Coordinates of all heavy atoms in Angstrom, one line a residue:
W1 N -3.8 0.2 14.4 CA -4.4 -0.6 15.5 C -4.5 -2.1 15.1 O -5.0 -2.5 14.0 CB -5.8 0.0 15.8 CG -5.7 1.1 16.8 CD1 -5.8 1.1 18.1 CD2 -5.4 2.5 16.5 NE1 -5.7 2.3 18.7 CE2 -5.5 3.2 17.7 CE3 -5.3 3.2 15.3 CZ2 -5.2 4.6 17.7 CZ3 -5.0 4.5 15.4 CH2 -5.0 5.2 16.6
S2 N -4.0 -3.0 16.0 CA -4.0 -4.4 15.6 C -4.0 -5.2 16.9 O -3.7 -4.8 17.9 CB -2.5 -4.5 14.9 OG -2.3 -5.9 14.8
D3 N -4.4 -6.5 16.7 CA -4.4 -7.5 17.8 C -3.6 -8.7 17.3 O -3.8 -9.2 16.1 CB -5.8 -7.8 18.2 CG -5.8 -8.7 19.4 OD1 -4.8 -8.9 20.1 OD2 -6.9 -9.1 19.9
I4 N -2.8 -9.2 18.1 CA -2.0 -10.5 17.7 C -3.0 -11.6 17.4 O -2.7 -12.5 16.6 CB -1.1 -10.9 18.8 CG1 -0.1 -9.9 19.2 CG2 -0.3 -12.2 18.5 CD1 0.7 -9.3 18.0
M5 N -4.1 -11.6 17.9 CA -5.2 -12.6 17.8 C -5.8 -12.5 16.5 O -6.9 -13.3 16.3 CB -6.2 -12.7 19.0 CG -5.4 -13.0 20.3 SD -4.9 -14.6 20.4 CE -3.1 -14.4 20.3
C6 N -5.6 -11.5 15.7 CA -6.4 -11.2 14.5 C -5.6 -11.6 13.3 O -4.5 -11.1 13.0 CB -6.7 -9.7 14.5 SG -7.3 -9.1 12.8
P7 N -6.0 -12.7 12.6 CA -5.2 -13.2 11.4 C -5.2 -12.1 10.3 O -4.2 -12.0 9.5 CB -6.1 -14.4 11.0 CG -6.9 -14.8 12.2 CD -7.1 -13.6 13.0
Y8 N -6.3 -11.4 10.2 CA -6.3 -10.3 9.0 C -5.3 -9.2 9.4 O -4.8 -8.5 8.5 CB -7.7 -9.9 8.9 CG -8.5 -10.7 8.0 CD1 -9.7 -11.2 8.3 CD2 -8.1 -11.1 6.8 CE1 -10.5 -12.0 7.6 CE2 -8.8 -11.9 6.0 CZ -10.0 -12.5 6.4 OH -10.8 -13.3 5.6
C9 N -4.9 -9.0 10.7 CA -3.9 -8.0 11.0 C -2.5 -8.4 10.5 O -1.8 -7.5 10.1 CB -3.9 -7.8 12.4 SG -5.3 -7.0 13.3
Y10 N -2.3 -9.8 10.5 CA -0.9 -10.2 9.9 C -1.0 -10.0 8.4 O 0.0 -9.5 7.9 CB -0.7 -11.5 10.3 CG 0.6 -12.1 10.1 CD1 1.7 -11.3 9.9 CD2 0.9 -13.4 10.4 CE1 3.0 -11.7 9.9 CE2 2.3 -13.9 10.4 CZ 3.2 -13.1 10.1 OH 4.6 -13.6 10.0
I11 N -2.2 -10.4 7.8 CA -2.3 -10.2 6.3 C -2.2 -8.7 6.0 O -1.5 -8.2 5.1 CB -3.6 -10.7 5.9 CG1 -3.7 -12.3 6.1 CG2 -3.9 -10.5 4.4 CD1 -4.9 -12.9 5.8
G12 N -2.8 -7.8 6.8 CA -2.7 -6.5 6.6 C -1.4 -5.8 6.7 O -0.9 -4.9 5.9
K13 N -0.6 -6.4 7.6 CA 0.8 -6.0 7.8 C 1.5 -6.3 6.5 O 2.4 -5.5 6.0 CB 1.4 -6.7 8.9 CG 2.9 -6.4 9.3 CD 3.4 -7.0 10.6 CE 4.8 -6.7 10.9 NZ 5.9 -7.0 9.9
R14 N 1.5 -7.5 5.9 CA 2.0 -7.7 4.7 C 1.6 -6.9 3.6 O 2.4 -6.5 2.7 CB 1.8 -9.3 4.3 CG 2.7 -10.2 5.0 CD 4.1 -10.1 4.5 NE 5.0 -11.0 5.2 CZ 5.5 -10.9 6.4 NH1 5.3 -9.8 7.1 NH2 6.3 -11.8 7.0
R15 N 0.3 -6.6 3.4 CA -0.1 -5.7 2.4 C 0.4 -4.2 2.5 O 0.7 -3.8 1.4 CB -1.7 -5.9 2.3 CG -2.2 -7.2 1.9 CD -3.7 -7.3 1.8 NE -4.1 -8.7 1.3 CZ -5.3 -8.9 1.3 NH1 -6.4 -8.3 1.7 NH2 -5.6 -10.2 0.9
I16 N 0.4 -3.7 3.7 CA 0.9 -2.4 3.8 C 2.4 -2.4 3.4 O 2.9 -1.4 2.9 CB 0.7 -1.8 5.2 CG1 0.9 -0.3 5.2 CG2 1.4 -2.4 6.2 CD1 0.1 0.6 4.3
E17 N 3.2 -3.5 3.9 CA 4.5 -3.6 3.5 C 4.7 -3.7 2.0 O 5.6 -3.0 1.5 CB 5.1 -4.8 4.1 CG 5.3 -4.6 5.7 CD 5.7 -5.9 6.4 OE1 5.5 -6.9 5.9 OE2 6.0 -5.9 7.6
G18 N 3.8 -4.4 1.4 CA 3.8 -4.5 0.0 C 3.6 -3.1 -0.8 O 4.3 -2.8 -1.7
A19 N 2.7 -2.3 -0.2 CA 2.4 -1.0 -0.6 C 3.5 -0.1 -0.5 O 4.0 0.7 -1.4 CB 1.2 -0.4 0.0
L20 N 4.2 -0.1 0.6 CA 5.4 0.6 0.8 C 6.5 0.4 -0.1 O 7.2 1.2 -0.5 CB 5.9 0.5 2.3 CG 4.8 1.2 3.4 CD1 5.3 0.8 4.7 CD2 4.9 2.8 3.2
A21 N 6.6 -0.9 -0.4 CA 7.7 -1.2 -1.4 C 7.5 -0.7 -2.7 O 8.5 -0.4 -3.5 CB 7.7 -2.8 -1.5
E22 N 6.3 -0.2 -3.0 CA 6.0 0.4 -4.3 C 5.9 1.9 -4.2 O 5.8 2.7 -5.2 CB 4.6 -0.1 -4.9 CG 4.6 -1.6 -5.1 CD 3.3 -2.1 -5.7 OE1 2.5 -1.1 -6.2 OE2 3.0 -3.2 -5.6
F23 N 6.1 2.4 -3.1 CA 5.9 3.8 -2.7 C 7.2 4.6 -2.8 O 8.2 4.2 -2.2 CB 5.2 4.0 -1.3 CG 4.8 5.5 -1.0 CD1 4.1 6.2 -1.8 CD2 5.4 6.0 0.2 CE1 3.7 7.6 -1.5 CE2 5.0 7.3 0.6 CZ 4.1 8.1 -0.3
N24 N 7.3 5.6 -3.6 CA 8.5 6.3 -3.9 C 9.1 7.0 -2.6 O 10.4 7.2 -2.6 CB 8.4 7.4 -5.0 CG 8.0 6.8 -6.4 OD1 8.5 5.6 -6.6 ND2 7.4 7.5 -7.2
H25 N 8.2 7.2 -1.6 CA 8.7 8.0 -0.5 C 8.8 7.0 0.7 O 8.6 7.5 1.9 CB 8.0 9.2 -0.2 CG 7.8 10.0 -1.4 ND1 8.8 11.0 -1.8 CD2 6.8 10.3 -2.3 CE1 8.3 11.6 -2.9 NE2 7.1 11.1 -3.2
K26 N 9.0 5.8 0.5 CA 8.8 4.8 1.7 C 9.9 5.0 2.8 O 9.6 4.9 4.0 CB 9.1 3.4 1.1 CG 10.4 3.2 0.5 CD 10.5 1.7 -0.1 CE 11.8 1.3 -0.8 NZ 11.8 2.0 -2.1
D27 N 11.0 5.7 2.4 CA 12.0 6.0 3.4 C 11.6 7.2 4.4 O 12.2 7.5 5.4 CB 13.4 6.3 2.8 CG 14.0 5.2 2.2 OD1 13.7 4.1 2.5 OD2 14.7 5.4 1.2
Q28 N 10.6 7.8 4.0 CA 9.9 8.9 4.8 C 8.6 8.6 5.5 O 7.9 9.4 5.8 CB 9.8 10.1 3.9 CG 11.1 10.7 3.5 CD 11.0 11.9 2.4 OE1 11.0 11.6 1.3 NE2 10.9 13.1 3.0
V29 N 8.4 7.3 5.7 CA 7.3 6.8 6.4 C 7.6 6.3 7.6 O 8.6 5.5 7.8 CB 6.5 5.7 5.5 CG1 5.3 5.1 6.2 CG2 6.0 6.3 4.2
E30 N 6.8 6.7 8.7 CA 7.0 6.1 10.0 C 5.7 5.3 10.4 O 4.6 5.8 10.2 CB 7.2 7.2 10.9 CG 7.3 6.8 12.5 CD 7.2 7.9 13.4 OE1 7.4 9.1 13.0 OE2 7.0 7.6 14.6
I31 N 5.9 4.1 10.9 CA 4.8 3.4 11.3 C 4.8 3.1 12.8 O 5.9 2.9 13.5 CB 4.8 1.9 10.7 CG1 4.6 1.8 9.1 CG2 3.8 0.9 11.3 CD1 4.7 0.7 8.5
E32 N 3.6 3.4 13.4 CA 3.4 3.3 14.8 C 2.3 2.2 15.0 O 1.2 2.4 14.7 CB 3.1 4.5 15.6 CG 2.8 4.4 17.1 CD 2.3 5.7 17.7 OE1 2.0 6.6 16.9 OE2 2.2 5.8 18.9
W33 N 2.7 1.2 15.8 CA 1.7 0.1 16.1 C 0.9 0.5 17.3 O 1.6 0.9 18.3 CB 2.4 -1.3 16.2 CG 2.9 -1.7 15.0 CD1 4.1 -1.6 14.4 CD2 2.2 -2.5 14.0 NE1 4.3 -2.3 13.2 CE2 3.0 -2.8 13.0 CE3 0.9 -3.1 14.0 CZ2 2.7 -3.6 11.8 CZ3 0.4 -3.8 12.9 CH2 1.4 -4.1 11.8
K34 N -0.4 0.3 17.3 CA -1.2 0.6 18.4 C -2.0 -0.7 18.9 O -2.3 -1.5 18.1 CB -2.4 1.6 18.0 CG -1.8 2.9 17.7 CD -1.4 3.8 18.9 CE -1.1 5.2 18.6 NZ -0.8 5.9 19.9
S35 N -2.2 -0.9 20.2 CA -2.7 -2.0 20.7 C -4.3 -2.0 20.6 O -5.0 -1.0 20.7 CB -2.5 -2.2 22.2 OG -1.1 -2.3 22.5
F36 N -4.7 -3.3 20.4 CA -6.3 -3.4 20.2 C -6.5 -4.8 20.7 O -5.7 -5.7 20.4 CB -6.7 -3.2 18.9 CG -8.3 -3.2 18.8 CD1 -9.0 -1.9 18.9 CD2 -9.1 -4.3 18.6 CE1 -10.3 -1.9 18.8 CE2 -10.4 -4.4 18.5 CZ -11.1 -3.0 18.6

């Protein structure tokens, strides 16, 4: 859940992407964005 007006949502996007880069099963992860 995210809002374009939320700066920390953009930071959070980068951090979850960084985590996925370190995750051995990243190719088996599906992300669904939800409006807020």
Side-chain angles (χ1 to χ4, degrees):
W1 273 265
S2 168
D3 189 4
I4 301 304
M5 297 294 105
C6 167
Y8 280 125
C9 291
Y10 199 6
I11 295 172
K13 183 176 185 294
R14 275 296 178 275
R15 289 180 178 172
I16 191 67
E17 289 169 346
L20 287 170
E22 298 181 18
F23 185 53
N24 290 333
H25 308 283
K26 60 180 177 293
D27 293 334
Q28 291 170 269
V29 175
E30 174 190 350
I31 292 180
E32 179 185 10
W33 289 92
K34 294 284 192 180
S35 298
F36 191 91

